[in-house]
Amino acid sequence: MQSNAPPDSDVQLLDTTLRDGEQAPGVSLTAAEKVEIARALDDAGVSVIEAGSACTGPGEQRAIEQVTSQHLDATVTSFARGVQHDVDLALDADVDGINLVVPASDRHVETKVGTTKTGVQETTAELVEYATDHGLWVEVIGEDGSRADPDFLQELAAVSHDAGADRFAYADTVGHASPDQVAEAVAGLADLGPVSVHTHDDLGLALMNALAGVGEGADLVHATVNGIGERAGNVALEEVVVSLWHGYDIETVETESLYGLSSLVADAMGMELPPNKAVSGQNAFAHESGIHTDGTLKDERMYEPYPPEAVGRERRLVLGKHAGRAGVRAALDEQGVSVTEDQLEAIVSRVKALGERGKRVTDTDLLAIAEDVTDVDRERQVELLDLTATSGSSTPTAGVRLRVGDAERVASGTGSGPVDAAMKAVKKALGNLTFHLQEYHVDAITGGTDAVVTVEVTLSRGDRSVAATGSEADITLGSVHAIVDGLDRLLATEDDPALPADD
Ligand SMILES: [Zn+2]
């Protein structure tokens, strides 16, 4: 494939989040949300904001009016079909311009609109003249242009320009085109006048196709924030901006505002981003593996194409099953926790164990583990060696293996649930080492069913009591850890706790 390096040109963006984006299934924005998003797009430096389709209904028209009443720097437009009524509705909403959509492919000309190619050309010329006469900026979009007869698409663009349109948009309406096709078509259209590209992501080619268009002279790229749009969506604005900037040194909008825009739109539309989404995904600047974390700590750019700050984000070192010493040490330092090398070793293995259960280890999780581990520094009297528990429709049963002093004790028990069964097994294994469970309390530190839970217990023995916690993804294990740690602390202060001998 030929190199489609965009020339060092002035490329601008048309954002259609509020029109094409809002057409995504299940998405609807209030007027207030549209205004907020439009303001953010304007602040970021987007040149054209397609605020909606005035022909959709009075509510949509009022929403567009509210956007136009903000007097933004951007050119605010409305989508309009090839009928004068739509142009009038857009004029009523006081827009600066219209995106006049006329059929280009045979399918759209004949089957959808029920006209002829000549009819389309005539209507287009009339409406462009009508709109420009009313002072509107006009972009003609040849709908389904990528599946249109190339000669007709050229003629349609020529007619549009002759009638006074500001530009013509090459629309890959169903995300059908290959980059080569886009390049060829745009090159021809660019000879006739200013050309825009409107690309969809059905083949995963939306960004590549947009860049292919820019490479052949397109200087206005249609995009939506987060790539939200019909079906597989449009090309993502943040990806166009970043790839033009990073790859070709072409500045369009302020890159620092991209993450804020992404978050704003994701929240307003109730569409969460996939974690691996370029630029804005949760993981886009997160490093978990020990090797990558270690490299990143030595040189921040080691595993990043550009710094996260450039798009308004921060780098995150994530702890999980791939964690290494350097990353855990750095995370602990950040929390002001200092540990010995041995403790670090233990913390790393607990972090990895938690991660292996499919868990991302948060700072809170890490602290809970660190607290747990740093407490284990001394000679323990009681230690949990093994726990098994079963629950479900059969009787909950648990088995424990404890080290008590020098002896190993094994016992099992049944109960109302796995925690109850485990408690009974623990008590049995401890034999004459009795204690009283005064309080038992469970907290989920993190959300979700895979959350780490902290079990808080208060144990008493004689006239002394102690509070202890256990943090685990498994509630039964957390409970037993809390009990065993609590008892261990109680026993640590007793002169002669009369530890049991081996069975
Ligand atoms: Zn579209």
Side-chain angles (χ1 to χ4, degrees), residues 436-452:
H436 177 63
L437 180 62
Q438 285 185 315
E439 279 176 47
Y440 176 87
H441 178 80
V442 182
D443 260 329
I445 327 183
T446 48
T449 53
D450 61 348
V452 169

Side-chain angles (χ1 to χ4, degrees), residues 20 198 200 234:
D20 221 347
H198 182 101
H200 277 270
N234 296 59

Side-chain angles (χ1 to χ4, degrees), residues 381-449:
Q381 305 272 25
V382 188
E383 191 179 5
L384 176 67
L385 300 175
D386 199 29
L387 167 75
T388 56
T390 58
S391 60
S393 46
S394 58
T395 307
T397 309
V400 292
R401 193 157 61 87
L402 299 179
R403 183 179 63 74
V404 187
D406 296 326
E408 223 179 277
R409 310 271 296 180
V410 180
S412 62
T414 59
S416 60
V419 175
D420 189 42
M423 286 306 127
K424 288 189 171 138
V426 168
K427 287 202 166 185
K428 214 188 277 181
L430 290 170
N432 58 346
L433 273 177
T434 57
F435 65 90
H436 177 63
L437 180 62
Q438 285 185 315
E439 279 176 47
Y440 176 87
H441 178 80
V442 182
D443 260 329
I445 327 183
T446 48
T449 53

Side-chain angles (χ1 to χ4, degrees), residues 232-254:
N234 296 59
V235 67
L237 177 119
E238 61 279 9
E239 295 175 17
V240 176
V241 172
V242 163
S243 55
L244 285 176
W245 159 68
H246 184 72
Y248 302 97
D249 221 9
I250 295 174
E251 285 180 22
T252 51
V253 313
E254 224 174 72

